[in-house]
Amino acid sequence: MNAPRFTPSQLRARRFSPGFLRTAIHSALRPLRGNPRRTRVIGAVWAVLLGSTAALLPFVAQTASADSAAGLPACPFWTNATPPQRSVTPWVPPLQTAGAVNFSGRLPAPSGVTGTLSGGQVTIAFNRVPGAQAYRVWRNGQSVAWVTDWGQAALTATDTAPCQNAYYSVVALADQSGSDASMGQLSAPYQLSAAGTVVPWQTPVGSTIDMMVTSYNDGGMTASGYNAQLGVCAVDPRVIPWGTYFTVPGYGTCFAGDIGTWIQNDTVDVWLPGSQANNWGVQDRTVTIIANPYGGSGTGSSASASPSASHSASASPSASASPSPSASASASASASATTPPSGGTNLVANPGFESGALSPWTCDAGTASVVSSPVHSGAHALSITPTSSDDAQCSQTVAVSPNTAYTLTAWVQGSYAYVGADVPGGTGSSTWTPSTSGWSQLRTTITTGASTTSVTVWVHGWYGQPTVGVDDVSLA
């Protein structure tokens, strides 16, 4: 188990005034620093103190001659804790593959981020985000500013302890609570260049890094402000900047958005629920940097923790650079219960549940039933209802041929529907969709190994989410 992380309150951002005012108002603000529930009274204080100078700050930040960053110290780790020596342990594959966490429904990341090193400080300016009440700025996962939006002419933050090649992240907040629900999209990383200016980091898509990969299962808020969840991973932000997506063989897709006292240099800490974290142990993995699967300059989740995983028990989940679900939005029926889309033979028995019974499907107790409405085609479909402790999985073991590629499809309806297959000795796969009001087809492919004679096809929902409909499952 890793050393305990700092608590959310210890990791909360602290707001710093511009250098020439910091001494004058330090004592006045001290009782409020570290408290995320700042009131608009603070905004009024800042309005009085900064009103005459606010209009000059963006001009200074963006047009002043930058100092070279060559004289800055190397960026240190955020704590002086020394991790113990750890060796590779036995590995039990996780019960699900982590998909790319999607934050795109939140406030967008601030645009127009610029910065200049001058006088040993970096002044960062950025544009206002409509609907935001505050902003947070981090350097290498460490807070450098909390900026309250009270209508000032310019939004700026000051890093009083910059270092060479530092990575900066910016986020807009919907309110002053600092909670996961208030968090917008974390910006893509920005880097302090050798010339002393803050510029967008050129994400090295396709680059690989050899890492020690450990696991944690802590609940609550991560250092960035998002809730701990599958797909949010702890990194050393000097190595993998916050806001970066990358894949981990055997785990899935990670979003760099947390830190840990033992997560230094070439170490990544992946989140897994419950005992699965212990089962992961300590592993050596080569991780691959990928582009933001959801596009844009920010990261993109829902206001709550987004379930973004499949229930595959495969020992080698397929992590790709395009982990977003390949679900069609079409609600029209283009595949029957017995004819697979490829025209081959459907190996799944009772694929459309037209027998009126679950058999030969095996389902988690009390979570599944055959219904007559809604259906995609025919007279019946499967209805699965997750609980807070059960994702309502139904599975079926199917005979297959060795060294063969198969296409797996299923029509689904509802929120967080998953379909996949476990392939002993081969390459399993899975896909999912966060929400669909009508019927939508999920599709993925698997490849059997030289000794594979059977695979397990499965479908499920997600813990605590609404009922999911499933129909016309095909493996061809």
Side-chain angles (χ1 to χ4, degrees):
M1 297 294 290
N2 288 342
R5 282 176 173 66
F6 280 31
T7 64
S9 61
Q10 291 173 310
L11 293 170
R12 289 206 188 279
R14 295 175 180 270
R15 179 173 56 182
F16 294 88
S17 59
F20 59 91
L21 290 174
R22 187 171 187 271
T23 303
I25 63 175
H26 177 79
S27 59
L29 290 180
R30 179 175 295 174
L32 299 171
R33 298 176 71 183
N35 179 5
R37 299 189 178 275
R38 297 164 172 79
T39 67
R40 293 190 179 276
V41 174
I42 303 176
V45 173
W46 279 92
V48 172
L49 292 172
L50 300 181
S52 61
T53 59
L56 298 176
L57 291 177
F59 179 81
V60 172
Q62 298 181 47
T63 65
S65 177
D67 296 339
S68 169
L72 295 177
C75 291
F77 192 62
W78 58 275
T79 177
N80 59 6
T82 301
Q85 292 295 319
R86 289 167 288 176
S87 57
V88 174
T89 64
W91 180 63
V92 178
L95 298 178
Q96 63 284 302
T97 301
V101 183
N102 182 10
F103 300 96
S104 56
R106 301 185 180 218
L107 287 175
S111 61
V113 177
T114 61
T116 302
L117 172 66
S118 180
Q121 299 186 139
V122 173
T123 302
I124 299 171
F126 49 91
N127 294 334
R128 178 170 281 106
V129 174
Q133 292 190 16
Y135 306 85
R136 296 179 71 176
V137 180
W138 289 271
R139 181 217 328 114
N140 295 345
Q142 292 301 287
S143 171
V144 296
W146 175 296
V147 180
T148 299
D149 191 336
W150 42 265
Q152 61 268 52
L155 296 170
T156 62
T158 302
D159 180 8
T160 60
C163 51
Q164 289 190 33
N165 302 310
Y167 295 108
Y168 293 97
S169 308
V170 187
V171 70
L173 299 164
D175 57 45
Q176 304 261 355
S177 68
S179 66
D180 173 269
S182 72
M183 285 282 292
Q185 300 176 39
L186 188 65
S187 72
Y190 293 84
Q191 187 176 32
L192 179 62
S193 70
T197 56
V198 174
V199 296
W201 183 57
Q202 299 302 311
T203 307
V205 173
S207 297
T208 59
I209 311 172
D210 293 333
M211 289 281 187
M212 173 192 296
V213 182
T214 57
S215 182
Y216 73 107
N217 60 5
D218 301 353
M221 189 182 297
T222 63
S224 64
Y226 297 123
N227 285 339
Q229 57 185 291
L230 196 70
V232 173
C233 301
V235 298
D236 183 336
R238 302 171 303 171
V239 179
I240 300 180
W242 271 8
T244 304
Y245 284 94
F246 60 98
T247 59
V248 179
Y251 178 76
T253 302
C254 271
F255 171 74
D258 198 7
I259 55 178
T261 54
W262 290 4
I263 314 308
Q264 302 180 26
N265 300 311
D266 60 346
T267 305
V268 167
D269 210 19
V270 300
W271 190 92
L272 284 167
S275 62
Q276 292 188 54
N278 292 333
N279 291 340
W280 178 277
V282 177
Q283 308 300 324
D284 288 334
R285 293 286 189 269
T286 299
V287 308
T288 302
I289 305 297
I290 65 172
N292 182 340
Y294 306 100
S297 60
T299 60
S301 156
S302 58
S304 61
S306 295
S308 50
S310 68
H311 198 84
S312 170
S314 168
S316 56
S318 173
S320 71
S322 301
S324 55
S326 55
S328 166
S330 172
S332 62
S334 61
S336 71
T338 58
T339 304
S342 64
T345 301
N346 186 2
L347 303 179
V348 175
N350 196 17
F353 306 92
E354 296 305 319
S355 70
L358 293 172
S359 180
W361 294 89
T362 300
C363 301
D364 294 349
T367 64
S369 62
V370 175
V371 297
S372 58
S373 179
V375 300
H376 171 250
S377 69
H380 297 96
L382 172 67
S383 177
I384 52 177
T385 304
T387 68
S388 60
S389 59
D390 195 316
D391 62 3
Q393 176 170 285
C394 288
S395 62
Q396 179 182 150
T397 299
V398 178
V400 294
S401 299
N403 295 323
T404 304
Y406 291 89
T407 298
L408 173 64
T409 62
W411 287 85
V412 298
Q413 184 182 61
S415 300
Y416 300 106
Y418 298 78
V419 60
D422 303 334
V423 183
T427 304
S429 183
S430 63
T431 187
W432 65 288
T433 179
S435 179
T436 174
S437 56
W439 287 96
S440 181
Q441 189 182 48
L442 296 181
R443 178 191 299 263
T444 190
T445 58
I446 63 171
T447 303
T448 57
S451 60
T452 306
T453 57
S454 65
V455 301
T456 299
V457 174
W458 49 260
V459 296
H460 67 75
W462 192 254
Y463 302 95
Q465 297 299 313
T467 296
V468 169
V470 180
D471 205 355
D472 301 337
V473 183
S474 171
L475 182 70

